[in-house]
Amino acid sequence: MRRSLPLVAAALFALAPTAPATAAPVDPGEGSGGIDHPRGGEGPEGSEIAFEFQDDRISESSGLAPSLLHEGVWWTHNDSGDHPSEVYAVDEDGQTLATVTLNVERRDWEAISLAQGPEGVPTVFVGDIGDNFGGGWPNIRVYHFTEPEVLGDSALDPSVFTFTYEDGGRDAEGMMIDPRDGRLYVVSKEFAGSVYAAPENLDPFGENVLTRVDSAPLFATDAAFSPDGSRYAVRTYWGVSVYDGTNGVPGRSVGSFDLPEMEQGESVAFTPDGTALMAGTEGANSPVWRVPLSGEQLPDMAAEAEASPASDEDEGEEPQESGASGALPLILGGAVVAVVLIGAIVLLVRRT
């Protein structure tokens, strides 16, 4: 939902444009933090609009995640406000392919992730984690349901995990799930934002305590892991910070950059091949940008794929001889023939 917070933040940045994110009072150690940006820009070279949502119902897209079963399909949902409890599957043209209605009370849906669920199958996780009252909710909830093998409209009763923060309520808009072990993380949206880790094993019946493990960029609005888990990204209204998650969270920062200017940037996700980020914004028929990654920002899977075609080509080719060395056998063969012919001529002359 559109708020005045971005305008207030922009004014603060105008007064102190280089102010970094600070850690929360509870400090679990040296955090990686992240550099935030006071405004959107053009984005890295090669950034382009991938598609625009065509469904008028999707007017406040606040989360984005690629399907694990259907190529070219993305899942999204609306923010808080006067919206039904619906999750949408859209194609690469922004057309809605399926609407899944969740029979639950919604407070403030802010994030969506797909990962292997408790049953070991691709699962859609919807984060009802926003809190416009600044920590007024006693807990937050993450709903989850099995990703449909066949896309179509449906209604269902999702399962739910309930969470509380170890250091009191927080407003949060970022949620990500490590594909390697299924661990869930929530990123709070504050001046002194934080990354919170869920327990390794979740209790589906009781409250699960979120533990602060790192600081986060100012006003984080979403977060996502790469498909192989080797990188994760935390976005803000204006930019994104990418981290090396090879050894888990917190990870080492591998760079931050502006995202293309958006009305109110709220979502981020890695492409299935890991070569780019998809970044979305609220608004009617809002665009989703494809933002290429490079260098250390590339997940291991993408870096290896980028390097393998050249190596495969090298392995498949026979060694090429240079012009001089390749012609040497012909030259030597010609010389031998010439010697034989000359010798035969000399012998013939002597006999005559």
Side-chain angles (χ1 to χ4, degrees):
M1 184 170 64
R2 187 172 293 109
R3 307 176 183 87
S4 60
L5 184 56
L7 298 178
V8 175
L12 291 172
F13 274 115
L15 296 174
T18 59
T22 55
V26 179
D27 188 2
E30 183 178 355
S32 57
I35 302 172
D36 195 61
H37 295 259
R39 64 189 68 82
E42 296 181 356
E45 183 177 357
S47 297
E48 61 181 357
I49 294 177
F51 62 85
E52 295 178 350
F53 292 113
Q54 303 300 309
D55 193 330
D56 291 338
R57 295 174 299 172
I58 306 174
S59 59
E60 292 188 3
S61 175
S62 188
L64 187 71
S67 168
L68 295 181
L69 294 179
H70 309 284
E71 184 177 356
V73 171
W74 297 84
W75 290 91
T76 189
H77 58 84
N78 284 309
D79 201 335
S80 61
D82 188 19
H83 299 289
S85 301
E86 295 176 341
V87 183
Y88 308 95
V90 302
D91 63 17
E92 293 175 308
D93 294 322
Q95 298 285 352
T96 299
L97 303 177
T99 301
V100 178
T101 301
L102 305 188
N103 300 322
V104 297
E105 174 193 5
R106 68 194 305 275
R107 294 191 304 216
D108 193 352
W109 291 8
E110 291 289 355
I112 189 168
S113 296
L114 271 79
Q116 298 298 316
E119 303 301 323
V121 295
T123 301
V124 180
F125 294 83
V126 181
D128 193 357
I129 59 176
D131 191 338
N132 293 328
F133 301 100
W137 298 120
N139 53 48
I140 59 174
R141 300 169 294 202
V142 175
Y143 300 107
H144 58 97
F145 60 93
T146 300
E147 183 176 18
E149 293 185 3
V150 178
L151 293 176
D153 295 348
S154 62
L156 53 84
D157 297 319
S159 300
V160 61
F161 290 121
T162 303
F163 299 93
T164 59
Y165 295 91
E166 65 172 358
D167 51 0
R170 293 284 186 272
D171 182 22
E173 294 191 5
M175 181 182 74
M176 57 184 180
I177 300 176
D178 192 329
R180 296 166 296 187
D181 59 9
R183 193 163 192 178
L184 183 146
Y185 297 85
V186 173
V187 183
S188 66
K189 177 188 170 188
E190 302 167 297
F191 283 99
S194 299
V195 180
Y196 291 87
E200 293 184 13
N201 299 308
L202 297 178
D203 182 351
F205 305 107
E207 292 190 339
N208 298 275
V209 178
L210 294 166
T211 304
R212 184 180 183 275
V213 294
D214 198 12
S215 58
L218 301 176
F219 300 129
T221 59
D222 204 4
F225 269 100
S226 63
D228 65 355
S230 66
R231 298 291 185 274
Y232 64 93
V234 179
R235 77 155 295 172
T236 68
Y237 286 120
W238 312 279
V240 65
S241 297
V242 182
Y243 302 88
D244 183 344
T246 302
N247 297 318
V249 180
R252 176 178 60 88
S253 175
V254 292
S256 301
F257 53 86
D258 286 339
L259 288 172
E261 187 172 355
M262 303 180 195
E263 183 177 348
Q264 186 170 333
E266 294 259 342
S267 61
V268 73
F270 281 83
T271 55
D273 64 3
T275 61
L277 295 176
M278 300 287 276
T281 179
E282 292 190 0
N285 302 118
S286 59
V288 174
W289 286 80
R290 184 185 185 279
V291 182
L293 296 170
S294 61
E296 280 195 287
Q297 298 161 6
L298 283 169
D300 292 345
M301 58 181 288
E304 291 169 0
E306 189 177 73
S308 62
S311 60
D312 291 344
E313 183 178 336
D314 292 341
E315 290 176 3
E317 291 180 354
E318 292 295 331
Q320 296 284 330
E321 294 180 332
S322 65
S325 61
L328 184 58
L330 295 177
I331 295 173
L332 292 177
V336 171
V337 171
V339 169
V340 171
L341 288 175
I342 292 173
I345 293 171
V346 171
L347 182 60
L348 182 61
V349 168
R350 285 181 178 178
R351 287 182 178 179
T352 57

